[in-house]
Amino acid sequence: MKRIFILGIICLLATTSEAQVWFTKTGTVSFFSHTAVEDIQANNNEAVSFIDAAKGEFRFQVLIKGFKFPKAAMQDHFNDANYMDSDQFPKADFKGALTNPAAVNFKKDGVYKVEVQGTMTMHGQTKAVKVPGTITIKNGVPTVDAVFNVKRSDFGIKVPNFSAAKIAEEIEVTVKCLYEPYGK
Amino acid sequence: MAETTLALPLPARGQRFGHWCWLLLALLASVAATAQDVDLDKLLAEESAKQETPKSDLIIATFKTTRIANGHSVETLPTGVLDLKINHRFGTLNSGAKQFFGLDQAMIRLGLDYGITDRWMVGLGRASFQKQVDGFMKYQLLRQRQHGTPVTLAATASIMLRTDDIGAGLPYTPNYTDRLSYAFQLLVARKFSDAISLQLMPTMVHYNLVPLSSIPNDLFSLGAGGRIKLTKSTAFTFEYYYNLPGYRLPDTKNSISMGFDIETGGHVFQLVFTNGQGIAERPFITETTGDFFKGDIHFGFNVSRVFQLGGRRKQAGSRK
């Protein structure tokens, strides 16, 4: 009986400590558009992200108005109804999970190449995506890096004719988040 | 139930004990599982609600540019932006074919505006009408928010210097100060929807020198204006200034203008139909003489081209 009790305690301890949630609200999401006419880069340093390490689940969210551009006019246009229409669609998010949760040991320092599968929503449209990324555990704390391309047409983001030459159809998105344990 | 699904070797100490052990384990595991079942979507919603800082619910683009047509809108230029403004007002449409419906009598104002901060802008200009040089400052005191502040409130102060020959009717040679006048405006605007923005602008124009001693030096007007979006990049604009009786110059009319904003990348074109040829506050608010409804309508346009000079590039690049 004693053994069962001990076993039970161990079991409970193990599972609760595994239910670890990591989060950040200062993640970086930036994008880069390259065309022959102009290169455009914008950064958002207020991305909110959560990881449920036990299940390998991920959430990312950015406010469209939080993207900072080198030129104010670009930022105005970006938020404009002609482009991202941020009054109508204030957020972009990604919800997904590791395709192979077993491949990452959040308790062990290391660099893990992963793939995350889920849905991306922006400009009011949702699309299923699979994104490669890297999870780095250092001193027990995870960092997530990912670089991937997003097609504007997948999310119905059209641009007016006069600026079409300056804005790439495929936008490179870079994500970098350093997490901290989430505690209520 | 749980123990039957677990196809794991049972401990060697007997089946009965083994059953109990695995049952308990399964129970514990299920308890632990519910405890660890974190709803990330809920956490995300909570966290992002906290994050929706005052900045993100600021209402932007109440008007397309810093002018509605003739006069100021509540908009200011963002930090480090230089705006080159080229404004034309032609003669009246009813001047006939010989004058090419006014196009032979073009008046121009060249201006440079600059955003010192996101709320504070300054500008300089020179107009051919009355050979006037003008300078102004505009500051946004309040900014409309989705939750909270219902309006955007801005104040402008401008100074105008006539450099044409104003000495003709005077018994003495006018001083430099006699050529000066000032205008002060409060601009209150609300963006009611994506399509509709309205603005009120109580205005005072101060003349250092008025034509008759019976006319007060401070003239008061109440302006109203707005825009109605027609498509994503074009809008109809209108502006009207009512000059208060007793505080207006004789034989002047209230200023009326109607126009269209057309936006293309980096430029805003404004087509204007108005009853005055002056462009800065004093000449168009208090010295308009044309009767809009008798065809004294001046066609004109404002072209705005913005350049990013600095201040911002650094900020976007250096923030971590």
Side-chain angles (χ1 to χ4, degrees), chain A residues 6 10 20 22 27 44 86 98-99 122 133 151 154-155 165 172:
Chain A
I6 292 166
I10 290 168
Q20 182 136 34
W22 296 94
N44 186 324
S86 62
L98 293 173
T99 49
M122 69 175 103
K151 273 192 188 157
D154 286 346
F155 298 94
E172 186 186 86

Side-chain angles (χ1 to χ4, degrees), chain B residues 121-255:
Chain B
M121 70 177 285
V122 294
L124 271 178
R126 199 310 190 154
S128 28
F129 189 77
Q130 300 174 340
K131 298 188 184 299
Q132 178 172 272
V133 182
D134 69 276
F136 73 89
M137 224 189 261
K138 174 157 61 175
Y139 189 79
Q140 280 185 340
L141 299 157
L142 287 176
R143 300 207 269 186
Q144 188 186 343
R145 293 174 188 284
Q146 225 143 21
H147 314 284
T149 322
V151 294
T152 300
L153 177 67
T156 68
S158 52
I159 177 165
M160 290 150 280
L161 174 73
R162 279 180 74 159
T163 65
D164 61 344
D165 183 17
I166 62 163
L170 289 175
Y172 64 96
T173 315
N175 292 322
Y176 161 75
T177 50
D178 293 336
R179 300 175 174 278
L180 285 173
S181 55
Y182 308 86
F184 303 95
Q185 294 190 284
L186 267 185
L187 314 170
V188 189
R190 178 168 167 83
K191 189 177 186 176
F192 287 93
S193 70
D194 262 2
I196 296 174
S197 304
L198 296 177
Q199 180 176 292
L200 284 176
M201 42 279 192
T203 302
M204 183 188 105
V205 178
H206 174 87
Y207 283 74
N208 276 353
L209 180 69
V210 282
L212 295 167
S213 58
S214 58
I215 301 166
N217 286 72
D218 294 327
L219 305 180
F220 295 94
S221 319
L222 181 63
R227 74 138 187 213
I228 300 166
K229 264 195 167 181
L230 303 174
T231 70
K232 280 178 180 176
S233 44
T234 57
F236 172 73
T237 58
F238 56 93
E239 226 180 349
Y240 179 74
Y241 278 89
Y242 175 71
N243 295 320
L244 300 188
Y247 294 97
R248 58 189 300 164
L249 296 175
D251 305 320
T252 55
K253 297 275 190 284
N254 293 331
S255 168

Side-chain angles (χ1 to χ4, degrees), chain A:
Chain A
M1 205 58 198
K2 199 173 156 194
R3 201 183 283 180
I4 298 169
F5 185 70
I6 292 166
L7 199 64
I9 294 290
I10 290 168
C11 187
L12 198 65
L13 281 176
T15 44
T16 46
S17 67
E18 221 171 87
Q20 182 136 34
V21 176
W22 296 94
F23 102 113
T24 179
K25 52 184 178 181
T26 54
T28 304
V29 173
S30 51
F31 68 76
F32 181 71
S33 152
H34 169 78
T35 61
V37 186
E38 196 168 28
D39 286 344
I40 300 171
Q41 177 161 7
N43 297 326
N44 186 324
N45 305 305
E46 293 161 342
V48 179
S49 175
F50 281 90
I51 304 177
D52 181 347
K55 287 191 274 186
E57 282 205 38
F58 286 80
R59 297 289 185 274
F60 292 91
Q61 188 177 74
V62 286
L63 290 173
I64 300 301
K65 283 186 185 171
F67 281 97
K68 303 279 185 291
F69 286 73
K71 292 184 183 177
M74 284 179 179
Q75 193 163 324
D76 287 349
H77 284 153
F78 178 73
N79 284 293
D80 196 286
N82 283 320
Y83 303 78
M84 294 299 285
D85 201 354
S86 62
D87 280 334
Q88 192 90 37
F89 310 113
K91 293 168 186 173
D93 66 30
F94 172 83
K95 300 179 176 186
L98 293 173
T99 49
N100 182 11
V104 184
N105 183 352
F106 280 89
K107 296 220 176 60
K108 198 177 156 217
D109 281 9
V111 179
Y112 304 91
K113 293 266 178 222
V114 296
E115 208 170 35
V116 180
Q117 194 166 14
T119 57
M120 197 177 285
T121 305
M122 69 175 103
H123 197 242
Q125 300 198 17
T126 301
K127 194 181 183 289
V129 291
K130 204 186 240 186
V131 177
T134 309
I135 299 176
T136 309
I137 315 280
K138 198 177 167 191
N139 303 325
V141 177
T143 306
V144 165
D145 289 278
V147 180
F148 54 91
N149 285 333
V150 170
K151 273 192 188 157
R152 280 195 286 116
S153 56
D154 286 346
F155 298 94
I157 303 164
K158 296 192 186 105
V159 300
N161 289 335
F162 58 75
S163 54
K166 296 179 187 172
I167 300 168
E169 161 61 13
E170 284 221 3
I171 310 287
E172 186 186 86
V173 179
T174 306
V175 178
K176 189 173 181 68
C177 293
L178 171 65
Y179 293 83
E180 52 189 280
Y182 184 75
K184 286 254 169 188

